Amino acid sequence: MPDASTVRRAVAASAIGNATEWFDYGVYGVSVAYITYNFFPGEGGTLLALSTFALSFLVRPLGGLFWGPLGDRLGRKRVLALTIILMAAATFCLGLIPNVQTIGVAAPILLVLLRMVQGFSTGGEYGGAATFMAEYAPDKKRGFLGSFLEFGTLAGFALGSLIVLLAGLAIGEAGMMEWGWRIPFLLAGPLGLIGLYLRTRLADSPVFRELEEIGHAESSAGTALKDLFRLYWRPMLTMAGLVIALNVVNYTLLSYMPTYLEGQTGMDAQTVLTIMFLAQFAMMLVIPFAGALSDRLGRKPMWYLSLIGLIVLAVPMYLLMANGFWWALLGFAVLGLLYIPQLATISATFPAMFPTQVRFAGFAITYNVATALFGGTAPLANQALIDATANPLIPAFYMMGACVIGLIAVSTMRETVGASLRGTAIPETGKMPVISR
């Protein structure tokens, strides 16, 4: 078992790397107006910008199919080093693309290609980082330590909002439209190098090293995907239902909210960015406590609390947000804090659904397929439905529907609190042996 110092470094490497990945999604979400102006000017430009956001998610299942089995065969560390290099490089290059006024249609084409590279790398990043962290964490503290991966996610979103806000205050809206929007994308380069450095300083997870010692990683390479779909289709379906709820809420709140508030309430960009940063910062402060609570109460009670709370309060909070800055901040914060019990526990819950030899692949494939179909498309779907119906409560209804699917999935989920991640599955049953640490 690794010592406490090694575990802390593993947590830091996973969280900082994950923050780099999600920094891009945070920046893109709060920069839709700038992206529209520079790449999709004219009528329907916002929908095209949101479609480009969604497109990167459609590539993620391909990334999961590629990186997942590779991570189960070659190790978590090697794959995570590659994914962070790809993501940081693609985000950095996005900040260098000339706009449509300069190079014409080549500008949006380059934007789409780089977003596809980002989606492909993210297809291996999140499942790999969660698996890596979960396999390092002691069983009784997996919820608490795993929550720091999501702390990194929120930190990436919050940092993106903060940098765009500060840049806008420094150079003004006109400067942001012309060239300032590039600044946060260019910062992804040095952030990626920091994450890469931290990750390469660690050995692979102790659980994976045990698998290597018995030679199972190499011998199962040819049949890993077959075994995954044959033996573990039930946990894959359960996880898919949880991911639908998780990511519809995630991308409706954290990525689409700036577009929604600017379009539906008439708030200016700086006001919206202030709301986003303050609420995301509050969520960051709470998430480790929620993770620790899940180690005591269990993962399922946390999910039930979050899902039911969002179903009950989504519409009231969206009605509240239409009444000005403080009400918008309160409404967004309430929904964000209700979302935390889900977000805080996924890094502990999802990896425990699969045995070591298919854990990376099972997580990456299931997570990314469900996210591609429902999560990354949430901003586009919300905007299209609002345009079609003129109903500003569409995002609330969309989240509520996803949470109902999540409730069904939770009811079929096996409680994973305290379960060991060591060992491989018993082929006849597909069940993990319980080996305490």
Side-chain angles (χ1 to χ4, degrees):
M1 180 176 177
D3 57 44
S5 175
T6 302
V7 172
R8 285 195 297 269
R9 286 190 289 116
V11 169
S14 299
I16 293 176
N18 201 50
T20 302
E21 292 277 340
W22 297 105
F23 172 78
D24 164 71
Y25 286 93
V27 168
Y28 196 99
V30 298
S31 302
V32 169
Y34 308 133
I35 298 294
T36 302
Y37 176 81
N38 283 278
F39 295 95
F40 305 105
E43 186 177 353
T46 299
L47 279 178
L48 288 173
L50 292 173
S51 297
T52 303
F53 181 85
L55 180 64
S56 69
F57 287 84
L58 298 180
V59 183
R60 283 177 60 166
L62 297 178
L65 284 167
F66 178 80
W67 298 113
L70 201 63
D72 285 326
R73 193 171 83 241
L74 300 181
R76 290 55 164 129
K77 173 184 170 181
R78 294 178 185 176
V79 167
L80 288 173
L82 291 171
T83 57
I84 197 170
I85 291 171
L86 271 180
M87 185 68 172
T91 306
F92 180 82
C93 289
L94 196 152
L96 300 175
I97 305 174
N99 61 23
V100 69
Q101 289 82 10
T102 303
I103 61 172
V105 71
I109 291 175
L110 288 172
L111 175 67
V112 167
L113 289 175
L114 288 173
R115 293 292 299 171
M116 291 175 71
V117 173
Q118 291 169 329
F120 185 76
S121 69
T122 307
E125 165 62 30
Y126 187 73
T131 297
F132 186 76
M133 181 181 287
E135 290 180 344
Y136 257 105
D139 298 328
K140 294 182 180 180
K141 292 185 177 180
R142 191 175 299 124
F144 172 66
L145 294 174
S147 69
F148 283 95
L149 185 68
E150 310 314 324
F151 183 93
T153 298
L154 289 172
F157 276 109
L159 183 62
S161 298
L162 180 62
I163 290 175
V164 175
L165 172 62
L166 294 177
L169 291 173
I171 65 175
E173 191 68 8
M176 288 296 292
M177 284 291 185
E178 292 300 325
W179 61 271
W181 65 271
R182 301 179 184 275
I183 296 172
F185 290 103
L186 295 174
L187 288 177
L191 285 176
L193 292 176
I194 294 171
L196 178 64
Y197 172 78
L198 290 173
R199 286 181 172 179
T200 53
R201 298 271 294 176
L202 283 168
D204 220 318
S205 77
V207 176
F208 181 79
R209 294 201 305 273
E210 288 179 4
L211 195 68
E212 279 190 311
E213 288 173 6
I214 63 174
H216 195 85
E218 293 184 4
S219 63
S220 63
T223 59
L225 284 177
K226 180 181 177 182
D227 288 345
L228 176 64
F229 288 102
R230 182 170 61 89
L231 294 174
Y232 306 104
W233 59 270
R234 287 186 179 89
M236 289 178 77
L237 285 178
T238 297
M239 181 177 162
L242 298 174
V243 173
I244 289 171
L246 175 84
N247 277 334
V248 165
V249 175
N250 185 86
Y251 292 106
T252 297
L253 284 180
L254 300 182
S255 294
Y256 178 64
M257 189 60 72
T259 302
Y260 176 83
L261 289 176
E262 289 181 37
Q264 299 301 314
T265 69
M267 293 182 187
D268 62 78
Q270 306 306 324
T271 300
V272 170
L273 286 169
T274 302
I275 291 172
M276 295 294 294
F277 174 74
L278 291 175
Q280 289 165 354
F281 186 73
M283 292 168 69
M284 288 170 59
L285 296 179
V286 172
I287 198 166
F289 297 99
L293 188 61
S294 78
D295 286 326
R296 298 180 60 186
L297 301 181
R299 321 299 185 208
K300 294 183 70 169
M302 302 293 285
W303 275 80
Y304 277 127
L305 171 65
S306 175
L307 294 166
I308 293 171
L310 287 167
I311 290 171
V312 172
L313 291 177
V315 170
M317 291 304 103
Y318 266 87
L319 290 171
L320 200 64
M321 283 189 283
N323 295 306
F325 175 84
W326 291 108
W327 294 113
L329 178 60
L330 176 61
F332 182 79
V334 168
L335 292 176
L337 293 174
L338 283 172
Y339 174 53
I340 286 297
Q342 290 181 56
L343 190 65
T345 58
I346 57 177
S347 300
T349 302
F350 293 167
M353 290 182 169
F354 303 98
T356 307
Q357 77 273 16
V358 295
R359 181 169 295 135
F360 198 148
F363 191 134
I365 293 170
T366 307
Y367 186 90
N368 287 299
V369 169
T371 301
L373 295 176
F374 297 96
T377 57
L380 174 62
N382 279 309
Q383 185 65 43
L385 289 170
I386 288 176
D387 289 347
T389 64
N391 187 341
L393 294 178
I394 285 294
F397 298 143
Y398 202 68
M399 286 198 300
M400 291 166 67
C403 287
V404 170
I405 295 173
L407 281 176
I408 297 170
V410 172
S411 69
T412 67
M413 183 178 81
R414 177 174 62 89
E415 180 59 71
T416 62
V417 67
S420 174
L421 297 190
R422 288 178 170 175
T424 59
I426 302 169
E428 291 79 11
T429 64
K431 294 180 179 179
M432 286 284 291
V434 178
I435 306 172
S436 63
R437 267 192 230 179

